[in-house]
Amino acid sequence: MQQSTAICNPVSCIVAQDQIGREIQVISSRTMFAQQLVNGLMLGGAYALVAIGYTLIFGVLNLLHLAHGEVFMVGAYAGLVLALAGFSPWATLAGAMLAAAALGVLVERVAFRPVRNRGSHVTPLITTIAVGLVLQHVVVKIFGAEPVAFPAPFASAALDLGVVTLTTLQLIILGTSVVLMVLLELFLRSTPTGMAIRATAENQTVAGLMGINVSLAIVITFAIASALAGAAGVLLAWNFTGLSPFFGVKVGLKGLAIMLLGGLGNVTGAMVGGLVIGIVEVMSVAYLASSYRDAFAFAVMILILLVRPTGLFGARLQTG
């Protein structure tokens, strides 16, 4: 039987009939690219929240927080507990952020403050690695080492925009990530606490002489960075619908990579870098193979850093 085709939209799809008359839909290359671009922005927004946490802490203390991935993971598990208890998705997200913020303050008190002003820069790295391992084992003890399912937060619904199709979950994840990043930007630019954090990032000694409570600024920085990680944990758990105690290791490494890509201590760079890595990762899955997603994302990061060693936006804690 002769095969016939009919184009239903020049940029969306082609409807065809196979040899026994069944209609099939062939997605055009432009539609696939646009769809994967949206998927990458959604994933990159969540990655950016993790990278911003690294960036804030590094910008203020000039130290790496290597347990940040585990804070992200604990925030996701806190969200799981709340979701299983019957809380609404937004209450789950807020609770996870509060739990992660409290954990971040505890990590600052235990792993950073005692060694901040003595010893080498290596000491906090070792203490945060130890904290990360402790958090992993605590979660394994409580929840087990096997992956667990995260309840679907919203009913599945799709919005057809012609070129792309967006699900309710995609819109919520991307919208929540963007809102949190905008609120952080406004906080750092427009509030006295945000300005105090920026002043502390520039020079702790001078900030102290100006009357700024440096220790409080550092604690608030840890709370905000950890809350953003907790939000990212829930958002990615919604997307992947599964959790593991080792969930934070890979995401934590990507957060570090994004921080380097955007520029050490640069908040705007972390935002843009997260979106770039998310898009690259999704495109590599769509056009290459899922097994290459991490390798391809890190390869692109390396290539960009070879051209711009200070990252896309340079170094230090900046908001623009």
Side-chain angles (χ1 to χ4, degrees):
M1 181 179 293
Q2 186 176 4
Q3 188 178 41
S4 62
T5 62
I7 299 176
C8 61
N9 188 306
V11 295
S12 61
C13 66
I14 300 172
V15 173
Q17 285 188 343
D18 63 11
Q19 293 185 352
I20 61 174
R22 294 176 304 184
E23 286 192 350
I24 57 176
Q25 180 171 301
V26 182
I27 300 176
S28 72
S29 58
R30 279 188 291 176
T31 299
M32 181 176 179
F33 179 83
Q35 186 68 58
Q36 298 306 325
L37 182 63
V38 171
N39 295 341
L41 289 173
M42 178 201 68
L43 184 63
Y47 284 163
L49 294 178
V50 180
I52 289 170
Y54 277 114
T55 296
L56 284 172
I57 293 170
F58 183 86
V60 171
L61 291 179
N62 204 31
L63 296 171
L64 290 176
H65 179 10
L66 295 183
H68 194 61
E70 279 64 43
V71 173
F72 157 90
M73 178 267 296
V74 171
Y77 270 95
L80 173 65
V81 171
L82 293 173
L84 293 176
F87 286 87
S88 69
W90 299 116
T92 296
L93 181 65
M97 292 178 69
L98 288 174
L103 179 60
V105 172
L106 179 63
V107 170
E108 190 276 334
R109 190 70 183 87
V110 172
F112 276 93
R113 188 176 299 185
V115 298
R116 195 167 69 213
N117 297 319
R118 49 184 181 171
S120 67
H121 280 52
V122 177
T123 306
L125 297 181
I126 301 302
T127 57
T128 54
I129 290 174
V131 167
L133 291 174
V134 169
L135 291 175
Q136 276 188 18
H137 286 288
V138 168
V139 172
V140 168
K141 186 70 174 177
I142 297 173
F143 296 96
E146 297 300 320
V148 294
F150 200 101
F154 302 98
S156 179
L159 177 63
D160 188 1
L161 300 179
V163 179
V164 297
T165 299
L166 298 177
T167 65
T168 304
L169 186 59
Q170 285 178 318
L171 287 171
I172 288 172
I173 292 175
L174 181 57
T176 303
S177 300
V178 171
V179 167
L180 289 174
M181 287 188 280
V182 170
L183 289 176
L184 175 66
E185 187 85 0
L186 293 174
F187 172 79
L188 291 175
R189 284 180 179 273
S190 306
T191 66
T193 304
M195 295 176 185
I197 290 174
R198 293 169 62 189
T200 303
E202 288 296 326
N203 191 305
Q204 292 187 22
T205 302
V206 174
L209 293 174
M210 293 172 61
I212 293 173
N213 188 333
V214 172
S215 294
L216 180 60
I218 291 173
V219 169
I220 293 174
T221 299
F222 269 84
I224 294 173
S226 301
L228 292 176
V234 172
L235 295 178
L236 288 179
W238 284 350
N239 182 55
F240 295 120
T241 65
L243 277 181
S244 162
F246 312 104
F247 187 40
V249 176
K250 184 182 292 187
V251 176
L253 288 175
K254 286 181 182 177
L256 280 172
I258 292 167
M259 181 183 69
L260 291 172
L261 177 62
L264 292 174
N266 192 301
V267 175
T268 303
M271 296 177 185
V272 176
L275 297 177
V276 169
I277 291 298
I279 291 171
V280 168
E281 186 173 314
V282 168
M283 291 296 181
S284 66
V285 173
Y287 293 100
L288 296 174
S290 60
S291 57
Y292 297 142
R293 62 189 300 170
D294 294 328
F296 196 69
F298 280 101
V300 169
M301 181 204 72
I302 292 170
L303 289 175
I304 293 175
L305 289 177
L306 287 175
V307 177
R308 291 184 60 86
T310 58
L312 295 173
F313 289 82
R316 297 313 303 161
L317 182 64
Q318 301 169 1
T319 60

